[in-house]
Amino acid sequence: MSTYTATLGGHRYRFGSLARLLAAASPERSGDRLAGLAAASAQERVAARWALAEVPLTRFLAEPVIPYEDDDVTRLILDTHDPVAFAPVAGLTVGEFREWLLSEEADATALAALAPGLTPEMAAAVSKLMGNADLVAVARKVRVVTAFRSTIGLPGRLATRLQPNHPTDDPAGVAAALLDGLLLGSGDAVIGINPATDSPRAVRDLLDLLDGVISRYAIPTQSCVLCHVTTSLDLMERGAPVDLVFQSIAGTQAANASFGVTLALLDEAYQAARALGRGTVGDNVMYFETGQGSALSADAHHGVDQQTVEARAYAVARRYDPLLVNTVVGFIGPEYLYDGRQILRAALEDHFCGKLLGLPMGLDICYTNHADADDDDIATMLTMLGVAGASFVICTPGGDDIMLNYQSASYHDALYLREVLGLRPAPEFEAWLAGIGLLDERGGLRDTGTGHPLTAIGRELAA
């Protein structure tokens, strides 16, 4: 194992491993401090970045941050690495890689070709040398397009997940939130419900509810009830209308085990969902959620900083060519990301790393009520991620999830972002909105009042 050093202000700093160097170079965040991984001072952090800039990218292939024999995510990363795709940057250091990413040479075509040759640790390392504006500038150049019944990630588009959660999964309550979102032009990425329970019966009822609405109104979108992958497998075997298979994932074998997940289980679910053939314009069938701090909360981080572990989760995701991946940046709480500044930085890092690795990245731009953050932080993050080219964002009625009890973006926030940045919904969904009379001649949303045919959703489900 190599030792990495840097001299700053006459003091020599020594970092005993690549994992230790990455942790010390990370921007300040409460989770790394809690785990005893953060730099002891701002000076040490600068020294670590100085040393990290000189590390060759090839070093990440020779020195895994978690040993190959101990972790199946490490094995996945190294066994699937594409040396041909890596060749254009193989001779660069981390610092030189940053300069290349910011250059005109690194255009959308070059970045798409490079993605299979990058490891998550390479992406995490270069992000630690980048300012927020750098992360936005590079991520904006990357295009990742996926499709099921709608096409996500096209230039000039911003999709949304309509999240009609209810604390008791009451059909009338779900219907009210669902109708609210549809009338405000939300739902082209997915209509996704976090169920109050993971029981197969409750999940099946919600799947039937969403499938009925999508079918009855010919909505070009996909549904997902965010249950455990084993529940999805069981329901697919029973003929339930499963569009997307959801699962929370993390960046180590042990952290995934804490979720009750293995790569073999995900393989099985992926094959089962593809066999259903429910997509109309594409066959991307997986939906993954991640978030910095999950490995730490499971005591499964192996001494690796939380942002690098988060990036490793993206290696798991890209194995399955998913329709959607989102990081739930502020959901775990201030023990991991203390305030709005730390949440913003994590959001930009996650989005950058995920897109650089070839994933269709979206975000739940959110915070818990005991974090030092507010709605202005949501607006700042939403705007910056819109500029950075996020594929989709998650929206809840009024920005307040009454089931999960946290604050997120609202349907109105998504409309704001589309308006100020000139963004439009997914093309199939946009055509549907126009066809049912929800778009005016300028492409803006109409105020339809209570007379629109969609309002029947609420009356039918309440009955």
Side-chain angles (χ1 to χ4, degrees), residues 6-20:
T7 301
L8 185 67
H11 182 79
R12 188 170 181 82
Y13 293 88
R14 186 181 301 272
F15 307 94
S17 67
L18 191 53
R20 176 67 198 123

Side-chain angles (χ1 to χ4, degrees), residues 3 25 139 154 199 225 255 263 291 304 319 385 390 413 423 459:
T3 298
L154 291 169
S199 76
V225 177
L263 297 181
V304 179
R319 173 181 176 91
L385 269 301
D413 290 330
L423 301 172
R459 291 191 295 272

Side-chain angles (χ1 to χ4, degrees), residues 328-333 364 366-368 370 404-406:
V328 191
V329 286
F331 182 68
I332 301 182
D364 192 350
C366 62
Y367 63 91
T368 58
H370 62 310
L404 295 174
N405 195 29
Y406 74 111

Side-chain angles (χ1 to χ4, degrees), residues 291-303:
Q292 290 193 28
S294 58
L296 175 57
S297 66
D299 194 24
H301 57 88
H302 295 270

